[in-house]
């Protein structure tokens, strides 16, 4: 009683106390209480207590529901019947409400059914038990109907801590009782006020997707009731749900659709009869949405039948076009998935394999494309207005603007689907006519003119990948029209993006060279209009320089004029610093096309506006350089990164980095404490190394000495990351062996001193991530330096400490590193090092295996199971029976209360089969099931981890 009163007081405080701190304390108390064993009895007592208020009833019903779902194993086996009887009494008590309480109790009973085998409920399991209860107590039928509704929903409720095998049995039990449940529902149809509830329960049972043949359902009273409700004045949400589920039911699983044709032939005419209501302005919008949903469901489910292009299927297509034309986007967009699926069906070769030879396949494909051509042409015209800026666009909230952008992206996808069917050039003609209409439609009224024109241009840009680069009818006219459009910011932004999208066409078109000057003028205007415009113009400039680079080699002076204005941040240009990188990339790609001597001069010109501010900062002295905000340096260093990345002249870039090294060294020396500046500088060095390769010569030695020395003091992860790139390029170069051996030994030795326990891994996940990425690179590119080194065993020990770090990237890098060690035999270079590897791994094998098993069973999040299982598989493949013995010992440590012998042996057999060359996919289900079983609730997960103790195994005394 004391505990019951405490719970009541806590609930009262939670809902009514004015002090936030008191409410939070009450909330914490109640959450902790729900995890206790006492919560069963207290929750049950308070639900039966007539004096409990609504807040108490809701809390206790939720508590009891979650206890049954998650903690049923806490109860002795004898508790099932008293618990079931109590829940049954409560279900009757609350059969008229409150609805929230009744629903929670219904879910609790359903969860109980998932846990407890059918025979414990009596002959026929819970469904027949429920039927007998309804027969005995007809006055409580509404409450029992809710239980009947939630039962099939609990099949896929993974909050219920049931074993996978038991979950499968439960699904079979329900499927076998499908007929009984439908008979119960049919009997309840005689009570007119329950019709809605009966139909909702029927829809729920249909989601099981099997059990009753379509030929039986086609004349079933429940189906006929749902269909007749479609035609009633008040459209029933429940009947729409039933028909929707029936449509999905007819195409579910591996069942041949023809087996369900009797049901399909009943459903389709009834839905088709609703078509006129789509355009009925007197209909409620929710009703129209429900009808549209049925048409969309038909389209999605019967797309393969529709794709044949029969007269009957075209009726559905025309109805879906009507849905697509609806003024409300939420309704129209219901069809978008259908147009995509239909396009795939019409264009993919697999759809026509049954037609035999290539001639027949091509003939049928052309016939179908011809049949559906008008529908897709209509669709293109229908969706354009969706992307038009609203008149009040300037007043739109951030969320509304975001929604509008998402609409535009969705329409762009529809247009690409249409282009796949019609061809890009044909789609372009339709859109060009819309653009002409938009431009000429408003005379000289520029204020109104821009929105329809912008919408048409957005659509033209969306299909750019589908328009042929030799299109000569429409594109020249569009390009001629662009300079004449008003410079309204949103329109100009889209004009710039459209120019960028058609850069390949500009390169290939016979008129491309003559068009380029006017196009570049537009981009110049864009860069001076607004930040959004300037960003679009910079991006377009990059595309044009990429695709038309050969044409632009003769225009370097003009291009450098634009580049210098942007990089120097002249007032007339509004290009944000980040977007200016597009121009750096653009010029770098044009410079790549120049012969080496010209490229050298051009590269110097590229570097001048970037070097100058950095040199000025250095000249002001170390103290001044140290105090500068990172951004003032990284904005320039990032431009170097782009230059080194995109100027593809290795020798020229190597010469440049040699000249620039004093500037880089000064920044390294003075700003090594500053992570942002170091990341930027290491990125620039990485691209210099990647582009220049072996031409780097002396500079690479100086760079490695610098980062090796600075890493000891400042522990910047990016130094490891840069070293990783160096290893990839120079790892196999014998002339660099001494440099690299010293580098990796120094870096790894220092890192293992930093990462001595799991807390350090948690505090420094970036160092862990980059350290083990570097180690994996060493295994691939210079195993001769890494594996025989003194740091190899200590790095393996370090990895064992960190496997269970919760940081995703760090954990994945460690697991990949271990897998790379185990897979060493797969590479011809690595084979010779297997004896050294084995001398390190075998003494630690049992511990590594145990940590991996612990990771599978709860030490790491469920999302990491795939990576862990691959690492375990790699270990088992390498060490065969020895590794299986390690796995067996680990799994046997888990108490039988958590894992049964059957679950254990299934996992070990699958591991053995996969390791001996069997299908690795066969490992997936047993691993996932072992993982699920060990995580099914908090108590079990704690028992498993307590048995495996992964954090106590990470250091092994090796003799």
């Amino acid at each position: 009683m004391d505990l019951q009163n405490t719970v009541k007081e806590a609930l009262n405080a939670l809902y009514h106390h004015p002090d936030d701190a008191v409410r939070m304390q009450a909330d914490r108390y109640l959450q902790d209480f729900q995890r206790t064993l006492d919560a069963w009895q207290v929750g049950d007592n308070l639900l039966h207590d007539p004096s409990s208020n609504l807040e108490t009833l809701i809390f206790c019903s939720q508590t009891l529901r979650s206890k049954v779902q998650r903690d049923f194993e806490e109860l002795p086996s004898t508790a099932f019947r008293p618990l079931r009887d109590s829940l049954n009494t409560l279900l009757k008590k609350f059969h008229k409400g409150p609805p929230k309480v009744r629903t929670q109790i219904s879910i609790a009973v359903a969860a109980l059914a998932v846990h407890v085998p059918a025979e414990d409920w009596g002959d026929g399991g819970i469904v027949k038990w429920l039927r007998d209860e309804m027969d005995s107590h007809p006055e409580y039928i509404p409450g029992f109907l809710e239980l009947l509704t939630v039962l099939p929903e609990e099949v896929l409720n993974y909050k219920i801590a049931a074993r996978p095998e038991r979950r499968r049995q439960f699904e079979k039990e329900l499927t076998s009782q499908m007929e009984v449940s439908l008979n119960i529902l049919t009997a309840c149809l005689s009570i007119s006020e329950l019709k809605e509830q009966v139909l909702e329960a029927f829809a729920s049972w249909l989601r099981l997707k099997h059990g009753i043949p379509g030929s039986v359902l086609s004349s079933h009273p429940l189906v006929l009731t749902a269909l007749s409700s479609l035609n009633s004045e008040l459209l029933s949400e429940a009947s729409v749900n039933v028909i929707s589920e029936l449509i999905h039911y007819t195409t579910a699983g591996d069942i041949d659709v023809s087996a369900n044709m009797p049901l399909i032939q009943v459903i389709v005419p009834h839905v088709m009869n609703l078509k006129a209501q789509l355009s009925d302005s007197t209909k409620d919008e929710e009703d129209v949405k429900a009808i549209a949903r049925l048409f969309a469901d038909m389209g999605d489910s019967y797309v393969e039948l529709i794709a044949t292009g029969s007269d009957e299927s075209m009726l559905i297509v025309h109805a879906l076009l009507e849905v697509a034309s609806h003024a409300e986007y939420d309704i129209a967009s219901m069809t978008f998935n259908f147009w995509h699926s239909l396009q795939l069906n019409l264009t993919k070769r697999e759809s026509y394999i049954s037609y035999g030879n290539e001639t027949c396949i091509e003939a049928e494909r052309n016939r179908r494309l011809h049949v559906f051509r008008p529908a897709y042409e209509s669709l293109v015209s229908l969706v354009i207005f969706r992307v038009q800026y609203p008149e009040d666009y300037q007043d739109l909230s951030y969320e509304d603007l975001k929604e509008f952008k998402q609409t535009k992206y969705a329409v762009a996808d529809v247009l690409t689907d249409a282009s796949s069917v019609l061809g890009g050039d044909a789609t372009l003609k339709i859109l060009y006519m819309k653009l002409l209409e938009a431009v000429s439609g408003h005379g000289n009224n520029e204020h109104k003119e821009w929105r329809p024109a912008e919408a048409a241009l957005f659509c033209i840009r969306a299909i750019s990948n589908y328009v042929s680069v030799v299109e000569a009818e429409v594109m020249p006219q569009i390009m001629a029209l662009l300079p004449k459009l008003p410079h309204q910011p949103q329109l100009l932004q889209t004009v710039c993006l459209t120019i960028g999208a058609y850069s390949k066409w500009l390169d290939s078109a016979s008129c491309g060279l003559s068009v380029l000057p006017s196009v570049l003028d537009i981009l110049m205007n864009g860069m001076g209009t607004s930040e959004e415009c300037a960003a679009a113009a910079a991006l377009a400039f990059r595309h044009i320089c990429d695709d038309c680079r050969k044409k632009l080699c003769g225009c370097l002076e003009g291009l450098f004029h634009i580049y210098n204005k942007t990089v120097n941040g002249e007032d007339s240009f509004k290009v944000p610093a980040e977007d200016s990188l597009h121009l750096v990339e653009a010029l770098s790609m044009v410079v790549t096309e120049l012969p080496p001597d010209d490229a050298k001069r051009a590269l110097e010109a590229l570097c001048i506006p970037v070097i100058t501010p950095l040199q000025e900062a250095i000249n002001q002295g170390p103290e001044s350089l140290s105090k500068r905000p990172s951004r003032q340096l990284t904005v320039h260093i990032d431009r170097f990164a782009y230059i080194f990345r995109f100027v593809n002249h290795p020798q020229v870039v190597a010469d440049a980095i040699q000249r620039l090294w004093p500037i880089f060294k000064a920044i390294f020396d003075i700003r090594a404490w500053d992570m942002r500046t170091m990341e930027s500088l290491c990125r620039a060095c990485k691209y210099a190394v990647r582009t220049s390769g072996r031409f780097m010569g002396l500079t690479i030695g100086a760079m490695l000495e610098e980062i090796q020395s600075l890493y000891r003091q400042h522990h910047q992860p990016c130094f490891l990351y840069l070293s990783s790139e160096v290893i990839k390029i120079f790892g196999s170069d014998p002339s660099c062996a001494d440099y690299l051996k010293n580098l990796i030994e120094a870096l790894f030795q220092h890192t293992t001193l930093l990462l001595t326990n799991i807390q350090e891994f948690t505090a420094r996940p970036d160092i862990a991530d980059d350290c083990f990425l570097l180690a994996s690179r060493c295994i691939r590119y210079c195993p001769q330096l890494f594996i025989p080194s003194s740091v190899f065993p200590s790095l393996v020990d370090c990895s064992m400490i960190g496997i269970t770090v919760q940081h995703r990237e760090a954990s994945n890098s460690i697991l990949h590193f271990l897998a790379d060690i185990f897979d060493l035999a797969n590479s011809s270079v690595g084979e010779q090092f297997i004896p050294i590897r084995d001398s390190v791994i075998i003494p630690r094998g049992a511990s590594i295996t145990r940590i991996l098993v612990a990771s599978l069973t709860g030490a790491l999040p469920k999302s990491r199971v795939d990576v862990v299982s691959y690492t375990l598989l790699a270990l088992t493949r390498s060490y065969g029976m020895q590794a299986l013995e390690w796995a067996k010992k680990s799994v046997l440590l888990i108490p039988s209360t958590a894992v049964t012998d059957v679950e254990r042996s299934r996992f070990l057999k699958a591991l053995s089969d996969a390791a001996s060359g069997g299908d690795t996919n066969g490992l997936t289900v047993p691993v996932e099931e072992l993982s699920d079983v060990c995580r099914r609730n908090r108590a079990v997960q704690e028992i498993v981890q307590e048995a495996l103790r992964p954090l106590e195994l990470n250091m092994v005394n090796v003799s």
Side-chain angles (χ1 to χ4, degrees):
M1 281 301 294
D2 286 347
L3 196 49
Q4 285 173 210
N5 289 332
T6 308
V7 168
K8 284 182 177 180
E9 286 166 13
L11 282 165
N12 190 52
L14 177 67
Y15 287 104
H16 304 293
H17 202 284
D19 187 339
D20 285 349
V22 173
R23 286 204 301 275
M24 282 175 66
Q25 192 179 352
D27 189 36
R28 275 196 300 274
Y29 167 79
L30 290 167
Q31 285 182 36
D32 291 340
F33 161 75
Q34 286 180 311
R35 297 190 192 108
T36 64
L37 199 57
D38 289 325
W40 289 100
Q41 192 63 59
V42 171
D44 187 66
N45 289 351
L46 288 172
L47 283 166
H48 286 282
D49 184 349
S51 68
S52 293
N53 62 16
L54 180 59
E55 289 157 359
T56 304
L57 293 174
I58 289 172
F59 171 77
C60 290
S61 61
Q62 287 172 339
T63 300
L64 215 49
R65 181 262 302 153
S66 71
K67 293 298 281 183
V68 176
Q69 285 180 333
R70 307 295 302 167
D71 302 323
F72 181 65
E73 289 179 31
E74 289 180 345
L75 300 177
S77 56
T78 52
F80 161 62
R81 285 190 185 280
L83 177 59
R84 182 194 67 184
D85 294 344
S86 177
L87 289 170
N88 188 16
T89 304
L90 291 170
L91 205 55
K92 291 170 183 171
K93 176 182 175 182
F94 296 112
H95 79 283
K96 288 186 177 176
K100 280 184 181 176
V101 176
R102 186 179 64 235
T103 299
Q104 295 299 311
I105 293 166
S106 298
I107 295 171
V109 179
L112 192 60
V114 179
H115 285 296
V116 179
E119 52 270 24
D120 288 13
W121 291 81
D123 181 37
I126 187 171
V127 175
K128 286 189 178 172
W129 172 84
L130 186 53
R131 182 191 62 189
D132 294 343
E133 285 291 319
M134 291 169 92
D135 286 344
S136 308
H137 305 283
E139 69 275 24
Y140 300 126
I141 283 175
F144 288 128
L145 265 181
E146 180 152 14
L147 172 56
L148 195 60
T149 305
V150 300
L151 260 181
E153 292 168 1
E154 297 310 291
V155 167
L156 294 175
N157 184 355
Y158 288 90
K159 286 180 182 173
I160 300 173
R163 297 173 185 273
E165 188 56 45
R166 174 59 206 142
R167 198 183 294 283
R168 284 192 288 271
Q169 285 172 357
F170 178 65
E171 186 169 4
K172 284 178 189 166
E173 288 164 15
L174 285 198
T175 306
S176 68
Q177 296 300 311
M178 182 100 162
E179 201 174 329
V180 176
S181 66
L182 297 200
N183 289 341
I184 296 171
L185 292 173
T186 305
C188 291
L189 276 177
S190 59
I191 309 168
S192 60
E193 62 268 22
L194 294 181
K195 190 171 85 168
E196 285 281 294
Q197 208 178 342
V198 167
L199 289 177
E200 284 295 0
F202 180 37
S204 182
W205 278 83
L206 286 171
R207 288 183 197 112
L208 286 177
K209 299 282 192 289
H210 42 67
I212 306 271
S215 54
V216 173
L217 283 174
S218 63
S219 57
H220 198 283
L222 288 164
V223 174
L224 299 177
T225 302
L227 289 168
S228 64
S229 299
L230 286 181
N231 301 319
S232 65
E233 188 59 37
L234 284 169
L235 189 67
S236 150
E237 186 184 341
S239 61
V240 170
N241 288 340
V242 168
I243 306 305
S244 176
E245 291 302 333
L246 283 168
I247 290 167
H248 295 309
Y249 188 95
T250 56
T251 56
D254 302 325
I255 301 167
D256 183 11
V257 174
S258 59
N260 281 317
M261 281 313 286
L263 182 54
I264 293 172
Q265 286 165 345
V266 169
I267 295 168
V268 173
H270 275 86
V271 178
M272 290 304 294
N273 285 340
L274 302 171
K275 184 186 169 189
Q277 296 185 38
L278 288 169
S279 51
D280 184 349
S281 57
T282 63
K283 289 294 287 183
D284 179 74
E285 190 182 306
E286 287 305 311
D287 284 353
V288 176
K289 195 177 279 189
I291 295 166
R293 176 182 145 206
L294 292 180
F295 279 107
D297 284 342
M298 279 202 315
D300 291 339
S301 297
Y302 305 143
V303 67
E304 287 182 23
L305 296 172
I306 292 168
T308 60
S310 66
D311 291 345
E312 295 87 348
S313 69
M314 294 315 290
L315 293 174
I316 298 177
V317 171
H318 292 138
L320 286 162
L321 276 172
E322 192 147 332
V323 177
S325 70
H326 196 278
E328 282 298 321
Y329 174 76
D330 286 350
I331 292 173
S333 60
M334 288 180 186
T335 67
F336 288 2
N337 189 59
F338 164 74
W339 301 115
H340 177 65
S341 301
L342 179 61
Q343 172 267 118
L344 291 177
N345 220 286
L346 295 173
T347 55
K348 293 283 184 285
R349 190 178 180 280
E350 299 84 73
S351 310
Y352 303 97
I353 284 172
S354 61
Y355 287 87
N357 63 50
E358 289 301 321
T359 308
C360 295
I361 285 175
E362 195 56 29
E364 177 60 17
R365 189 171 180 276
N366 289 336
R367 181 193 72 79
R368 291 190 185 185
L369 288 171
H370 179 73
V371 168
F372 286 97
R373 194 171 190 83
Y376 276 95
E377 286 172 346
S378 299
L379 183 65
V380 171
S381 298
L382 282 174
V383 295
I384 291 180
F385 82 94
R386 307 266 174 208
V387 300
Q388 187 169 307
Y389 272 93
E391 285 191 26
D392 62 344
Y393 76 95
Q394 286 172 315
D395 302 325
L396 291 181
S397 66
Y398 172 79
E399 284 305 317
D400 287 341
L401 269 176
K402 191 174 165 187
E403 199 175 305
F404 178 56
K405 276 186 181 175
Q406 286 167 344
T407 300
K408 293 180 91 165
Y409 296 145
V411 169
D413 288 341
V414 173
L415 290 167
T416 59
D417 288 328
S419 298
S420 296
V421 174
L422 303 172
D425 295 7
T427 311
L428 183 68
K429 281 183 186 174
I430 300 170
L431 296 173
Y432 175 57
M433 295 314 294
K434 294 288 181 185
L435 177 61
L436 280 183
E437 214 177 282
V439 171
S440 58
H442 295 287
N444 294 320
N445 188 339
E446 289 193 359
H447 177 68
K448 285 187 178 175
E449 186 181 90
W450 75 269
R451 290 186 307 111
E454 190 280 333
L457 270 178
F458 174 86
C459 297
I460 288 169
R461 173 191 160 213
I463 63 160
S464 60
N465 289 340
Y466 296 81
V467 176
S468 67
V469 292
V470 293
E471 202 285 333
E473 187 183 342
V474 175
M475 277 311 302
Q477 296 182 67
I478 291 174
M479 287 297 174
L481 184 61
L482 295 183
K484 299 170 187 171
L485 294 174
H487 287 179
Q488 194 281 339
Q490 275 74 18
L491 175 56
L492 185 54
Q493 184 181 348
T494 303
V495 168
C496 291
L497 291 171
T498 305
I499 288 168
Y502 283 92
S503 54
K504 285 183 172 60
W505 179 87
L506 281 164
D507 185 48
S508 301
S510 56
C511 62
L513 194 57
S514 61
V515 172
L516 273 174
S518 64
V519 156
L520 291 171
D521 276 348
I522 294 172
L523 299 185
M524 289 273 282
N525 281 322
M527 288 181 202
T529 300
S530 69
E531 281 206 1
E532 291 80 6
C533 247
L539 182 63
F541 190 78
R542 195 255 285 166
H543 283 306
I544 287 175
C545 287
D546 186 6
D547 291 318
C548 308
R549 53 177 82 180
K550 285 186 167 66
K551 283 187 170 68
L552 291 168
C553 282
C555 315
L556 272 179
E557 194 177 328
L559 297 180
F560 267 110
H561 174 65
I562 299 171
Y563 169 78
N564 287 323
K565 283 185 76 169
T566 306
V567 173
N568 291 329
E570 290 190 17
D571 291 344
S572 60
F573 272 21
K574 295 179 166 48
V575 183
E578 280 179 21
D579 297 293
S580 72
L581 292 171
H582 290 313
L583 280 95
V584 180
E585 183 180 341
L587 265 290
S588 300
M589 289 187 291
V590 176
V591 169
T592 294
E593 292 303 311
L594 300 173
D597 286 345
D598 293 343
K600 188 172 184 179
R601 285 191 293 274
L603 180 61
E604 285 172 6
L606 267 180
C607 290
I608 286 168
V610 187
I611 294 170
T612 307
L614 289 176
Q615 190 64 67
E616 285 172 2
I618 291 165
N619 292 345
Q620 287 174 15
E623 193 177 341
S624 171
L625 182 61
S626 181
K627 287 179 178 173
R628 276 178 182 261
S630 306
R631 180 75 181 141
Q632 287 184 12
L633 300 172
T634 59
V635 71
H636 306 296
I637 299 169
D638 288 345
R639 287 167 180 163
F640 273 130
Y642 271 63
I643 292 170
F644 299 152
R645 182 179 179 183
F646 293 106
V647 174
N648 193 9
H649 279 284
Q651 180 71 67
V652 172
V653 170
D655 291 345
I657 192 77
Q658 193 172 351
R659 288 194 308 277
L660 291 165
W661 179 245
I663 291 176
F664 283 20
K665 187 178 187 312
I667 298 170
F668 267 127
D669 288 341
I670 295 162
R671 301 282 300 205
W673 54 268
D674 172 16
M675 182 181 280
R676 285 184 63 189
T677 303
M678 288 302 101
E679 282 179 350
S680 180
L681 196 52
C682 284
R683 196 180 308 117
C685 290
K686 175 189 82 170
Y687 286 121
V689 171
R690 193 178 285 181
T691 299
S692 303
R694 312 270 165 112
F695 289 103
M696 285 276 291
L698 294 172
T699 319
I700 195 72
M703 191 183 289
L704 295 182
E705 280 180 20
E706 187 74 16
I707 59 174
Q708 188 176 319
S709 162
L710 292 173
Y711 182 65
R712 285 197 196 93
Q713 301 167 55
H714 299 286
H715 317 142
Q716 297 289 7
C718 55
F719 296 157
L720 298 168
Y721 172 68
L722 175 55
S723 304
S724 194
E725 193 64 34
V726 172
I727 291 292
K728 185 178 174 184
I729 306 291
F730 296 96
S732 58
D733 186 341
S735 67
C736 299
D738 289 341
Y739 264 136
L740 297 183
K741 188 171 186 297
N742 290 337
L743 174 76
I744 59 180
E745 286 190 357
L747 294 178
F748 287 139
Q749 200 169 13
H750 193 70
T751 305
T752 54
L753 294 174
L754 288 176
L755 302 174
T756 55
N757 54 50
I758 195 69
Q759 290 78 15
E760 288 291 351
F761 273 86
T762 304
R764 306 171 187 264
D766 293 341
I767 285 184
D769 181 21
D770 286 321
C771 167
F772 287 99
L773 282 174
L774 172 59
S776 283
R777 281 267 170 96
C778 290
I779 292 170
R780 279 196 286 280
Y781 295 102
C782 57
Q784 76 284 1
L785 303 179
F786 175 53
I787 292 173
S789 73
S790 60
V791 292
F792 178 58
S794 55
L795 201 61
V796 172
D797 286 334
C798 185
S799 74
M800 292 167 66
I801 298 170
I803 290 175
T804 56
V805 67
Q806 298 303 296
H807 188 275
R808 187 181 62 198
E809 283 79 12
S811 172
N812 283 353
S813 294
I814 295 166
L815 290 164
H816 286 308
F817 162 69
L818 287 169
D820 287 340
I821 294 174
F822 306 146
D823 286 338
L824 202 60
N826 296 348
S827 75
S828 54
V829 187
E831 259 184 282
Q832 58 186 298
F833 303 110
I834 287 176
I836 301 174
R837 177 200 72 177
D838 290 352
S839 70
V840 172
I841 296 299
I842 289 173
R844 298 163 172 79
S847 294
I848 292 173
T849 308
R850 193 160 146 192
I851 297 168
L852 291 173
V853 170
S855 299
L856 285 176
T857 54
L860 283 176
K862 186 83 193 309
S863 58
R864 241 92 23 94
V865 164
D866 284 351
V867 190
V868 178
S869 56
Y870 177 79
T871 309
L872 185 60
L873 176 61
L875 175 70
T876 314
R877 277 183 177 156
S878 293
Y879 294 100
M881 292 308 298
Q882 196 174 12
L884 285 168
E885 195 56 38
W886 294 335
K888 186 177 179 182
K889 282 180 180 171
S890 299
V891 176
L892 281 170
L893 291 170
I894 303 172
S896 53
T897 51
V899 176
T900 64
D901 289 342
V902 172
E903 288 158 347
R904 253 189 273 268
S905 58
R906 188 183 294 144
F907 166 74
L908 291 168
K909 184 180 183 308
L911 189 60
S912 173
D913 291 348
S916 55
D919 181 13
T920 54
N921 292 332
L923 186 60
T924 306
V925 171
V927 163
E928 285 187 351
E929 293 198 348
L930 182 74
S931 179
D932 286 342
V933 160
C934 293
R935 299 167 191 264
R936 64 186 184 271
N937 61 39
R938 186 184 300 210
V940 170
Q941 192 163 332
E942 285 171 359
I943 289 168
V944 172
Q945 293 304 307
E946 180 63 27
L948 293 171
R949 298 176 177 269
L951 292 176
E952 293 174 22
L953 305 171
N954 41 42
M955 297 304 282
V956 175
N957 294 320
V958 183
S959 58

